[in-house]
Amino acid sequence: MHATHPSPRGDDPVELAALRLLCIISHLGDSHLGDSHLGDRDDEDDQKTLWGEGRLQILDHLLRHPESLALWLIDQAREQRLAGNLSTLASRLRDLLRRQEEDRHTPAPPRHLELAPWRSFDDALAFLTCRNLLRLESRPAVDGGVERGYSSTPEAATAISQLTSQPGLGQVLQRRCRLLASVIGPETSLDLAGAAQRLAAFVDDEKIAPEDDPTPRLFHSLFGEPL
């Protein structure tokens, strides 16, 4: 398990970064109607607010890295001892972990949970606010500072509906956000470092060699079936 180096600016088009942020806020933010957990809701036309730049950074990182997303979700499912329809979760995680390898004779590198680097969202946020899809908020933070909030607008619901109405990246991001929402709520801690430590402890306990991928055994430990 290792961290990536900081990336001061986004390395993808501003439109793509803006789409990810809008999906995150619309699917994983606090409902303005006061609902405290979005995992059981499907009314994505409500205005939402996501609080905390760090939280936004981590969620964007997980959307960009499906293998890290899958590993983090497996860790959370193990930590929370999730019940319910685990077969659905297993199927969705298999989709995230499926690799399209060009050379099937070359061993794939072990999967790792990468920690989120800091990335500037200035361009993407400006893109969204200029189109009246996002408003920036602030409130007192528990440490005495100021916490930033990101609020969707009524126009954002129309934009998300249009962007996810046809097969493509919008629907991929929507599925990943819904998968996240089935496991976490707006107040759930997104401690990637803690998850990485637990996964590293699993590797040590299972005596998995550094060159071996721990994911199949980790997957089996949760679902009792092969990856």
Side-chain angles (χ1 to χ4, degrees), residues 168-216:
L169 181 59
Q171 288 191 355
V172 171
L173 294 174
Q174 182 184 59
R175 287 195 297 270
R176 292 179 186 176
C177 284
R178 285 176 169 173
L179 182 55
L180 274 164
S182 70
V183 176
I184 69 172
E187 302 303 321
T188 302
S189 173
L190 300 179
D191 181 10
L192 297 193
Q197 290 175 357
R198 288 188 292 272
L199 294 174
F202 176 86
V203 169
D204 290 340
D205 292 342
E206 294 291 315
K207 296 181 173 55
I208 300 173
E211 65 273 14
D212 293 336
D213 185 4
T215 312

Side-chain angles (χ1 to χ4, degrees), residues 21 37 47 70 93 97-98 113 121 139 179 215 218 222:
L21 298 188
H37 193 291
Q47 297 176 59
L93 289 176
L97 292 166
R98 185 178 295 115
L113 174 55
F121 289 147
R139 68 181 183 184
L179 182 55
T215 312
L218 188 65
L222 176 61

Side-chain angles (χ1 to χ4, degrees), residues 57-78:
Q57 293 274 348
I58 292 172
L59 290 170
D60 180 70
H61 173 75
L62 292 175
L63 287 195
R64 293 176 65 244
H65 297 89
E67 291 188 353
S68 287
L69 172 58
L71 285 169
W72 187 80
L73 288 169
I74 290 173
D75 171 77
Q76 287 300 294
R78 285 163 53 88

Side-chain angles (χ1 to χ4, degrees), residues 26-31 35-41 48 181 184-186:
S26 297
H27 292 80
L28 295 161
D30 282 304
S31 172
D35 198 353
S36 62
H37 193 291
L38 303 180
D40 299 326
R41 294 176 60 90
K48 306 285 171 48
I184 69 172

Side-chain angles (χ1 to χ4, degrees), residues 73-223:
L73 288 169
I74 290 173
D75 171 77
Q76 287 300 294
R78 285 163 53 88
E79 281 293 290
Q80 297 179 29
R81 295 178 173 82
L82 291 183
N85 191 356
L86 288 182
S87 62
T88 298
L89 178 59
S91 175
R92 292 175 178 175
L93 289 176
R94 282 194 183 95
D95 289 339
L96 289 174
L97 292 166
R98 185 178 295 115
R99 285 174 165 173
Q100 303 297 328
E101 299 169 29
E102 295 181 1
D103 185 357
R104 296 292 180 179
H105 301 290
T106 302
R111 296 175 176 90
H112 297 283
L113 174 55
E114 297 185 5
L115 303 187
W118 183 87
R119 292 160 53 85
S120 173
F121 289 147
D122 289 350
D123 293 342
L125 293 173
F127 182 93
L128 292 170
T129 55
C130 288
R131 288 159 177 79
N132 198 32
L133 300 174
L134 185 72
R135 294 193 309 270
L136 299 182
E137 315 277 358
S138 63
R139 68 181 183 184
V142 294
D143 61 2
V146 176
E147 185 177 36
R148 174 173 282 191
Y150 310 87
S151 295
S152 63
T153 66
E155 290 80 4
T158 301
I160 284 291
S161 178
Q162 293 173 345
L163 291 166
T164 59
S165 61
Q166 300 293 329
L169 181 59
Q171 288 191 355
V172 171
L173 294 174
Q174 182 184 59
R175 287 195 297 270
R176 292 179 186 176
C177 284
R178 285 176 169 173
L179 182 55
L180 274 164
S182 70
V183 176
I184 69 172
E187 302 303 321
T188 302
S189 173
L190 300 179
D191 181 10
L192 297 193
Q197 290 175 357
R198 288 188 292 272
L199 294 174
F202 176 86
V203 169
D204 290 340
D205 292 342
E206 294 291 315
K207 296 181 173 55
I208 300 173
E211 65 273 14
D212 293 336
D213 185 4
T215 312
R217 203 176 304 181
L218 188 65
F219 188 92
H220 187 273
S221 74
L222 176 61
F223 299 108

